[in-house]
Amino acid sequence: MLSDALMDPKSLLGRLLDPLQAPFALASRVYVSWVFLKSGYLKLSDWEQTVALFEYEYRVPLLTPQLAAIAGTTGELVFPALLILGLFGRISALGLQAVNVLAVISYAHVLYQPGFAAAIGQHYLWGFILLVLAFYGPGVWSLDHWLKARR
């Protein structure tokens, strides 16, 4: 039956797509990480401006602006670096997801205004990719996989 042939993992479609899982996972890790790495680097490049943004523009709950700037910048640099390497891949994806969610919460007064649908849509896309990586792991082209295979 046609449906059995299409759903069989050994079908032609499965044989064509399965080898692409590892490069797709790597591309997903690099794509979403690159966005946050650039943002973290930008924050580091002008620290006074970064702290000012956290004082006057971003509305981070529960943290002082200085602590929020340090935590946000650290999260935007550490989690993406780990995620690209595929080291602690699921934890890194969840950590970066937390950074993403906090960014949306902190800037919601702007992101949910008319005309910012594309900006909030990007955060949703990044969040979805990060959840996929958290649920499925970083793939076989990762340090997690390599370290597990060595044990």
Side-chain angles (χ1 to χ4, degrees), residues 31-36 38 96-97 99-101 103-104 111-112 115-131:
Y31 168 75
V32 75
S33 293
W34 182 244
V35 172
F36 288 93
K38 288 187 301 184
L96 202 50
Q97 178 73 297
V99 171
N100 186 43
V101 168
V104 170
L111 291 174
Y112 288 108
F116 286 88
I120 194 66
Q122 286 294 304
H123 283 277
Y124 292 158
L125 173 63
W126 302 329
F128 179 77
I129 293 169
L130 290 166
L131 284 175

Side-chain angles (χ1 to χ4, degrees), residues 2-22:
L2 181 60
S3 64
D4 292 336
L6 291 175
M7 294 189 321
D8 180 8
K10 295 179 183 174
S11 70
L12 176 61
L13 187 59
R15 289 194 311 268
L16 290 172
L17 293 178
D18 284 351
L20 299 176
Q21 289 176 351

